[in-house]
């Protein structure tokens, strides 16, 4: 079986999702609870509608576009945070592909409570990865004690751990709603 990872369909879906991500990043400074769930939903939809390589592409591009569009002070102070955000997004994409893609492709996927439990697990995995790497190691290590940002360290640590899990969970809610309709449309095309 010849798999096309970057065929016309996959590129089109990924491009549309990337456009949605970029537009949402214009609102990044308003609240992470606007941008975060949208980007997480786009990553999840990329896994389900296209494939894992396309989702990973989004995982890599979106932190860079976030930095270009609206770099936060912590990103400017600790640019090493960008690859760890990419990796956190990849954790979400890979766990979604491994735990959810097959079950959500079936007829009863969205009706099964197990799918929702798996979604929570995926969200927690992302939050835990980013909490361990960014919140507990990267930020305390690389934000200088004399920096004004050091006093905001607890806020940043919450943002890059608990809030990541919450925004991923909200992203699953959005993605499941979108997937319910999108799956039917994609089946008609086949």
């Amino acid at each position: 079986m010849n798999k096309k990872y970057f065929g016309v369909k996959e590129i089109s879906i990924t491009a549309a999702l990337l456009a949605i991500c970029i537009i949402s990043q214009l609102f990044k400074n308003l609240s992470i609870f606007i941008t975060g769930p949208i980007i997480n939903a786009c990553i999840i939809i990329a896994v389900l509608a296209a494939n894992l390589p396309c989702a990973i592409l989004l995982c890599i591009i979106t932190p860079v576009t976030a930095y270009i569009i609206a770099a936060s002070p912590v990103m400017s102070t600790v640019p090493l945070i960008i690859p760890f955000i990419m990796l956190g997004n990849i954790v979400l994409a890979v766990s979604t592909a491994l735990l959810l893609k097959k079950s959500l492709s079936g007829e009863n996927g969205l009706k099964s409570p197990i799918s929702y439990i798996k979604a929570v697990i995926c969200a927690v995995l992302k939050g835990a990865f980013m909490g361990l790497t960014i919140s507990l190691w990267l930020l305390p290590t690389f934000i200088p004690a004399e920096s004004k940002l050091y006093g905001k360290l607890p806020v940043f640590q919450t943002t890059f751990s608990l809030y990541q899990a919450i925004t991923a969970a909200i992203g699953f809610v959005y993605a499941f709603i979108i997937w319910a309709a999108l799956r039917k449309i994609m089946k008609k095309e086949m």
Side-chain angles (χ1 to χ4, degrees):
M1 184 175 172
N2 184 12
K3 283 192 170 186
K4 290 195 305 185
Y5 290 115
F6 297 105
V8 173
K9 175 186 138 194
E10 291 80 11
I11 291 171
S12 300
I13 291 168
T14 307
L17 292 171
L18 178 59
I20 293 167
C21 289
I22 290 171
I23 290 168
S24 78
Q25 288 172 340
L26 297 173
F27 303 100
K28 181 179 168 222
N29 290 333
L30 294 176
S31 172
I32 64 164
F33 293 107
I34 295 172
T35 303
I38 293 170
I39 290 177
N40 287 316
C42 288
I43 291 168
I44 296 160
I45 293 295
V47 169
L48 300 174
N51 55 42
L52 184 58
C54 290
I56 290 173
L57 193 59
L58 279 181
C59 294
I60 293 168
I61 294 172
T62 54
V64 175
T65 57
Y67 181 77
I68 293 168
I69 292 169
S72 66
V74 73
M75 287 177 105
S76 298
T77 303
V78 186
L80 187 57
I81 200 170
I82 296 169
F84 284 94
I85 294 170
M86 291 174 183
L87 290 171
N89 289 342
I90 291 170
V91 166
L92 179 67
V94 169
S95 62
T96 300
L98 294 176
L99 295 177
L100 277 166
K101 185 169 182 168
K102 186 175 181 181
S103 62
L104 289 179
S105 297
E107 286 297 318
N108 294 323
L110 289 171
K111 296 176 186 173
S112 171
I114 299 296
S115 295
Y116 298 95
I117 293 168
K118 289 178 179 180
V120 170
I121 291 169
C122 293
V124 168
L125 286 172
K126 177 182 179 176
F129 173 82
M130 292 181 79
L132 291 171
T133 59
I134 296 173
S135 294
L136 296 179
W137 170 70
L138 190 70
L139 296 179
T141 303
F142 291 100
I143 294 179
E146 61 277 356
S147 169
K148 290 179 183 179
L149 295 178
Y150 196 80
K152 295 181 180 181
L153 188 58
V155 173
F156 296 140
Q157 289 176 314
T158 302
T159 299
F160 289 104
S161 57
L162 177 63
Y163 290 174
Q164 292 301 316
I166 292 170
T167 58
I170 296 168
F172 271 107
V173 172
Y174 295 168
F176 282 5
I177 292 167
I178 294 165
W179 184 242
L182 191 60
R183 188 175 54 127
K184 292 175 186 176
I185 293 167
M186 290 179 69
K187 278 187 179 180
K188 288 179 183 177
E189 292 177 0
M190 292 180 169

